[in-house]
Amino acid sequence: MMNDGDVARQLKQMTDFIRQEAVEKAAEIEAAAAEEFQIEKLQLVEAEKKRIRLEFERNEKKGDIKKKIEYSKQLNESRLEVLQAQDDLAKSMLEAAGKELLYISRDHHVYKNLLRIFIVQSLLRLKEPAVILRCRKEDRELVESVLESAKNEYADKANVYPPEIVVDRNVYLPSAPSHYEAHGPSCSGGVVLASRDGKIVCENTLDARLEVVFRKKLPEIRRSLLG
């Protein structure tokens, strides 16, 4: 039978064991909690890093798109500027050519022959037995001086009778451009022929012919300007 001393020793051993086990269990719990905290912390850090990376990539893409839009805008503006410069240069070339036309009518011998050719060409296009002819007032005498030869030349080429040509003495083509009326209607020379009813018109002026040639040559002019 145990005495009081033995009982006390047994109780102390039991309490020491329970205390040690509690300490060890607490240490395990604390270590597990610390490990779980570290895992959660790492997960949170990784999630935040991922969020920041995705945000950076989105911003980078936005920046790239913005840069591309800005580049495209600048490129379009540059193209428009180039096209505008081409148009301005082409217009200046047309204006310069228009000024050169004024010298043609000053050589009466050359211009007289040119008027005859224009009348014949217009008659061949119209193919009318009777036509109305309009010219500049200052060209009327030259035109009338070549009418017979023009009618006969047309009749030979078309194998028809010479047509009737009436020179309109009421309505004339405008005169050549001047410094006083630089922006008003003007005509550098040539003729306009129409059927008697006015439904068919052939404009064979120097200005109209220049416009036709210029439109045909414009793509070639643009290419040369780009080169």
Side-chain angles (χ1 to χ4, degrees), residues 198-217:
K199 291 182 179 180
I200 309 172
V201 179
C202 178
E203 186 177 357
N204 212 354
T205 62
L206 292 172
D207 309 88
R209 292 175 75 91
L210 175 61
E211 286 283 351
V212 171
V213 171
F214 187 78
R215 281 198 299 270
K216 286 182 180 179
K217 289 286 185 179

Side-chain angles (χ1 to χ4, degrees), residues 172-178 181-188 207:
Y172 290 99
L173 300 181
S175 297
S178 64
E181 296 182 0
H183 302 291
S186 62
C187 177
S188 300
D207 309 88

Side-chain angles (χ1 to χ4, degrees), residues 116-220:
R116 179 185 57 78
I117 293 170
F118 282 2
I119 293 170
V120 173
Q121 288 177 343
S122 301
L123 290 171
L124 288 169
R125 287 188 182 181
L126 293 175
K127 291 183 170 56
E128 292 285 322
V131 297
I132 298 171
L133 183 149
R134 291 194 178 100
C135 62
R136 301 188 305 180
K137 193 171 185 177
E138 57 265 39
D139 293 339
R140 192 184 71 199
E141 289 185 8
L142 275 179
V143 168
E144 290 176 341
S145 70
V146 299
L147 278 185
E148 284 303 316
S149 60
K151 288 195 290 185
N152 292 329
E153 185 178 342
Y154 162 72
D156 290 340
K157 288 183 176 181
N159 196 25
V160 295
Y161 289 108
E164 179 189 357
I165 301 178
V166 177
V167 178
D168 193 336
R169 292 172 177 265
N170 297 315
V171 180
Y172 290 99
L173 300 181
S175 297
S178 64
H179 296 294
Y180 302 104
E181 296 182 0
H183 302 291
S186 62
C187 177
S188 300
V191 294
V192 174
L193 272 69
S195 57
R196 294 297 292 271
D197 58 9
K199 291 182 179 180
I200 309 172
V201 179
C202 178
E203 186 177 357
N204 212 354
T205 62
L206 292 172
D207 309 88
R209 292 175 75 91
L210 175 61
E211 286 283 351
V212 171
V213 171
F214 187 78
R215 281 198 299 270
K216 286 182 180 179
K217 289 286 185 179
L218 190 56
E220 185 179 331

Side-chain angles (χ1 to χ4, degrees), residues 6-215:
D6 292 332
V7 171
R9 282 195 297 273
Q10 286 289 331
L11 287 172
K12 187 178 185 304
Q13 287 176 354
M14 288 176 64
T15 55
D16 288 344
F17 176 77
I18 292 169
R19 187 182 297 110
Q20 181 64 31
E21 192 176 58
V23 169
E24 290 177 357
K25 192 67 177 175
E28 287 179 9
I29 292 170
E30 186 177 351
E35 184 180 359
E36 187 176 347
F37 172 75
Q38 287 297 327
I39 292 171
E40 287 182 358
K41 186 171 75 172
L42 286 173
Q43 288 176 343
L44 288 171
V45 169
E46 286 300 318
E48 184 63 15
K49 283 167 66 177
K50 184 178 180 181
R51 186 191 68 77
I52 293 170
R53 185 170 61 253
L54 290 173
E55 185 69 22
F56 176 78
E57 288 174 356
R58 278 196 296 270
N59 290 334
E60 194 173 31
K61 286 179 181 178
K62 286 179 182 178
D64 289 342
I65 292 170
K66 188 177 180 180
K67 286 178 182 177
K68 288 178 180 177
I69 292 172
E70 186 63 27
Y71 173 75
S72 178
K73 182 182 176 182
Q74 291 177 357
L75 186 62
N76 286 334
E77 287 176 353
S78 297
R79 285 174 178 167
L80 289 173
E81 287 175 2
V82 170
L83 289 174
Q84 185 61 53
Q86 287 179 353
D87 286 343
D88 292 343
L89 188 54
K91 285 178 183 177
S92 66
M93 291 173 67
L94 180 61
E95 288 175 2
K99 290 177 182 178
E100 291 296 320
L101 294 180
L102 300 175
Y103 294 100
I104 295 175
S105 61
R106 294 177 185 176
D107 187 333
H108 280 206
H109 177 71
V110 172
Y111 186 49
K112 179 179 178 179
N113 186 52
L114 195 60
L115 286 171
R116 179 185 57 78
I117 293 170
F118 282 2
I119 293 170
V120 173
Q121 288 177 343
S122 301
L123 290 171
L124 288 169
R125 287 188 182 181
L126 293 175
K127 291 183 170 56
E128 292 285 322
V131 297
I132 298 171
L133 183 149
R134 291 194 178 100
C135 62
R136 301 188 305 180
K137 193 171 185 177
E138 57 265 39
D139 293 339
R140 192 184 71 199
E141 289 185 8
L142 275 179
V143 168
E144 290 176 341
S145 70
V146 299
L147 278 185
E148 284 303 316
S149 60
K151 288 195 290 185
N152 292 329
E153 185 178 342
Y154 162 72
D156 290 340
K157 288 183 176 181
N159 196 25
V160 295
Y161 289 108
E164 179 189 357
I165 301 178
V166 177
V167 178
D168 193 336
R169 292 172 177 265
N170 297 315
V171 180
Y172 290 99
L173 300 181
S175 297
S178 64
H179 296 294
Y180 302 104
E181 296 182 0
H183 302 291
S186 62
C187 177
S188 300
V191 294
V192 174
L193 272 69
S195 57
R196 294 297 292 271
D197 58 9
K199 291 182 179 180
I200 309 172
V201 179
C202 178
E203 186 177 357
N204 212 354
T205 62
L206 292 172
D207 309 88
R209 292 175 75 91
L210 175 61
E211 286 283 351
V212 171
V213 171
F214 187 78
R215 281 198 299 270

